[in-house]
Amino acid sequence: MHEYTSTARVWGLSCPGFPEEVSRARRWTRDILRGSPLAEDAELIVSELSANAILHTASGHERGSFHLAVAVSPQVIALSVTDEGGTGTAPKIELQDQDQEAEHGRGLGMVSVIAHRVVVHDSDNGHTVTAELYADQHPGGHPC
């Protein structure tokens, strides 16, 4: 392989912060990952991260947007959603038992169970949540 050639491919999509854009992001991810055994998990993760951006940050306000990146290599699929921030708190993963009737607070915990690794990066301009799915391991990073 040439030293400047990579086997990883990266796609990007910017979406207005409307609820119907979550299904667009999900379809886009499904199209990119067609045929991958990780496609369904990736779709679910993108759906959750996109919905969180719209519901919990400035991305869901008038003229707001969120940005999605999908990176695919033979070893890993990395799914990143970047929001516009605008809240006093950053996304956080909560795995403790929660009220089953609660409408919020379980999404990133669910993503962390499906993904092998989840990283939250905060900046002055928003938050980026990246979930990684490894091709050679089972979800949650724990081989059976």
Side-chain angles (χ1 to χ4, degrees):
M1 174 165 47
H2 189 272
E3 70 178 299
Y4 298 113
T5 303
S6 172
T7 58
R9 298 199 58 199
V10 180
W11 291 263
L13 178 69
S14 293
C15 298
F18 303 125
E20 57 270 20
E21 294 298 312
V22 173
S23 63
R24 177 179 171 218
R26 191 173 49 243
R27 282 190 314 272
W28 180 77
T29 302
R30 181 176 50 237
D31 289 345
I32 290 169
L33 299 175
R34 188 171 314 264
S36 169
L38 299 173
E40 287 182 12
D41 287 344
E43 250 186 278
L44 182 58
I45 290 169
V46 163
S47 182
E48 183 61 38
L49 297 181
S50 299
N52 282 353
I54 291 170
L55 291 172
H56 302 299
T57 74
S59 293
H61 296 139
E62 188 176 331
R63 295 191 195 103
S65 62
F66 65 96
H67 311 280
L68 175 61
V70 175
V72 179
S73 76
Q75 297 83 23
V76 65
I77 295 172
L79 311 153
S80 298
V81 174
T82 302
D83 64 45
E84 294 186 346
T87 61
T89 61
K92 63 182 175 183
I93 300 167
E94 296 183 15
L95 295 176
Q96 71 263 14
D97 294 329
Q98 294 197 347
D99 178 6
Q100 294 300 317
E101 303 298 318
E103 293 183 26
H104 302 289
R106 293 188 297 250
L108 278 181
M110 178 188 66
V111 168
S112 71
V113 169
I114 296 169
H116 297 97
R117 186 177 121 161
V118 178
V119 177
V120 178
H121 176 74
D122 302 317
S123 74
D124 293 337
N125 300 321
H127 316 98
T128 299
V129 180
T130 301
E132 296 176 351
L133 296 168
Y134 301 151
D136 61 349
Q137 293 182 12
H138 298 284
H142 308 288
C144 291

